[in-house]
Amino acid sequence: MSEAASQNGSQEEDLELPLFNLSTIATATQNFSPHNKLGEGGFGLVYRGKLEDGKEIAVKRLSLSSWQGVKELKNEIKLISKLQHRNLVKLLGCCIQGEEKLLVYEYMPNKSLDFFIFDPKQGKLLEWAKHFQIICGIARGLQYLHQDSRLRVIHRDLKASNVLLDNEMNPKISDFGLARSFGGDQTEEKTNRVMGTYGYMAPEYAFDGLFSVKSDVFSFGILVLEIVSGKKIRGFHHENHGLTLIGHAWTLHKEGSSFSLLDERLRDSPHNRKQVLRCIHVGLLCVQQSPMDRPNMSSVVVMLGSESELPQPKQPGYSTEMASVKGDNSFAKPKSSSMNGMSFTMLEAR
């Protein structure tokens, strides 16, 4: 890549990825002009840019106060540079120069998934067939991370805002700052620093620090329920007498009325009733309380693409509102607290 330049020989060897000059990124983004801002979160800002050859890029500029330091940045770079899949966002390069920490991605013209499924106007633009395509694409991306990639990668922060959409509305999983890779026969790991987004976190991770491919499966199940219903996992309890979105879906399933979970905006447009019910059923299988009961992503991909009979889901996690898990908390300003003798890092939504 002609625009990329080595700023430090050891860094380039360490990161195994082209390094951009800061001046190149500044020119591409018009000196990080507010007019080019694509989004904002706890990590900092994302800008749209255009290189001299006309290639459009998205630049993730980490703020000085960001929770994501050089260690997390290098972790994201090392992991994603080794991953290649149509349902994963492509990392083109990076820049670590002075106090600037930048990641350069392929540009996704349709922003993130949350922009469409939660926005009253934008949500009307996608028919059910596209919703189903997005669900299946995310499932294939996770299957690749968990099973088919060179590394077994646990994302640990899968949510609607971390799924980007290309010009054909194909989903691409992004933001690997919290991802961890497993080697050999390792199946789970425990951490004393729980980081992620409450609401999407599996119970065993949120409370005991245990994460595995099954904790990602739980997050995927939440995402499926959000895509089908058009409702956010956090805040839903205000409308349903203490039931979370999971609890509401679980109650409807037991009553045999799961279809009423479907977003009202989709009911008057073409839809496949069996597909809708199957997605809800699979979502509930993914959010079961016990990790052992949840399917792996390979099974999820098969279940979504077939008409075979599905096992009945058991009691899900977080079916009712719990005082210990509040808000759509993610990373911005750390607030240390403890629960069961364990340190938590709770941060604002990004």
Side-chain angles (χ1 to χ4, degrees):
M1 183 180 299
S2 60
E3 294 85 357
S6 173
Q7 301 155 1
N8 181 294
S10 60
Q11 273 191 347
E12 187 170 21
E13 181 180 354
D14 184 32
L15 298 178
E16 299 179 354
L17 194 73
L19 297 176
F20 284 80
N21 280 322
L22 179 58
S23 60
T24 299
I25 303 302
T27 299
T29 59
Q30 297 179 314
N31 289 318
F32 303 100
S33 167
H35 297 293
N36 287 337
K37 189 174 79 170
L38 294 173
E40 182 175 359
F43 55 79
L45 302 174
V46 177
Y47 295 88
R48 181 177 182 176
K50 181 178 287 189
L51 299 174
E52 290 183 356
D53 63 3
K55 184 179 184 63
E56 289 191 297
I57 57 174
V59 179
K60 179 178 177 180
R61 187 187 194 188
L62 303 185
S63 67
L64 295 178
S65 60
S66 171
W67 61 269
Q68 187 173 10
V70 174
K71 180 180 178 181
E72 287 83 5
L73 180 75
K74 288 185 175 181
N75 177 64
E76 180 165 5
I77 293 170
K78 287 181 179 180
L79 280 180
I80 200 170
S81 64
K82 292 179 171 66
L83 303 174
Q84 296 292 332
H85 189 272
R86 64 175 298 181
N87 295 117
L88 303 182
V89 70
K90 185 177 181 181
L91 182 64
L92 304 177
C94 63
C95 173
I96 304 177
Q97 190 170 329
E99 294 184 336
E100 290 285 1
K101 296 175 292 182
L102 309 167
L103 291 176
V104 182
Y105 290 98
E106 60 178 329
Y107 173 64
M108 295 286 106
N110 285 313
K111 301 184 180 181
S112 55
L113 178 59
D114 59 331
F115 178 72
F116 284 90
I117 61 175
F118 301 139
D119 185 271
K121 295 181 179 179
Q122 297 296 329
K124 297 179 181 179
L125 301 179
L126 298 182
E127 294 185 345
W128 167 253
K130 186 59 67 173
H131 282 71
F132 184 65
Q133 176 187 320
I134 289 171
I135 290 172
C136 292
I138 298 169
R140 288 191 296 269
L142 275 183
Q143 179 187 25
Y144 170 80
L145 290 176
H146 291 175
Q147 180 177 315
D148 299 332
S149 66
R150 293 165 56 188
L151 307 168
R152 179 182 296 152
V153 176
I154 315 301
H155 189 279
R156 292 207 299 168
D157 199 21
L158 183 69
K159 56 183 177 180
S161 60
N162 283 342
V163 175
L164 304 183
L165 301 169
D166 68 12
N167 58 350
E168 296 180 350
M169 301 302 288
N170 294 310
K172 301 203 176 194
I173 300 171
S174 70
D175 203 336
F176 287 77
L178 300 184
R180 297 286 289 272
S181 62
F182 282 0
D185 296 327
Q186 184 182 8
T187 57
E188 70 175 17
E189 188 172 324
K190 186 169 185 176
T191 179
N192 288 327
R193 192 185 185 197
V194 174
M195 303 179 74
T197 304
Y198 285 115
Y200 290 90
M201 282 186 188
E204 70 276 7
Y205 179 49
F207 297 110
D208 298 316
L210 288 171
F211 63 91
S212 66
V213 293
K214 294 300 185 71
S215 50
D216 272 358
V217 170
F218 185 92
S219 301
F220 173 78
I222 297 295
L223 198 46
V224 170
L225 297 179
E226 287 186 327
I227 293 171
V228 171
S229 67
K231 303 291 186 181
K232 294 182 180 180
I233 184 65
R234 305 311 304 163
F236 186 84
H237 56 276
H238 294 307
E239 305 170 13
N240 292 274
H241 310 292
L243 286 178
T244 62
L245 178 59
I246 300 173
H248 183 53
W250 171 246
T251 300
L252 293 176
H253 177 78
K254 290 191 294 182
E255 295 173 349
S257 54
S258 289
F259 188 77
S260 61
L261 185 68
L262 181 66
D263 190 339
E264 293 181 356
R265 296 169 296 181
L266 296 174
R267 295 177 192 175
D268 296 331
S269 62
H271 59 262
N272 183 319
R273 185 183 180 91
K274 288 185 177 180
Q275 264 183 5
V276 172
L277 293 175
R278 196 166 191 84
C279 285
I280 296 171
H281 196 138
V282 170
L284 288 171
L285 289 172
C286 291
V287 297
Q288 292 176 101
Q289 178 75 28
S290 171
M292 295 181 64
D293 291 330
R294 299 171 206 151
N296 57 38
M297 289 309 303
S298 295
S299 297
V300 167
V301 170
V302 171
M303 288 189 290
L304 288 172
S306 70
E307 296 184 359
S308 59
E309 185 176 353
L310 300 175
Q312 285 303 310
K314 298 179 183 179
Q315 179 73 31
Y318 305 143
S319 57
T320 58
E321 177 63 18
M322 294 182 295
S324 56
V325 182
K326 290 281 188 179
D328 183 12
N329 295 318
S330 186
F331 299 91
K333 298 178 180 178
K335 301 177 183 176
S336 295
S337 62
S338 63
M339 184 181 297
N340 298 329
M342 175 181 158
S343 174
F344 274 65
T345 302
M346 297 183 64
L347 307 113
E348 303 298 326
R350 61 176 176 179

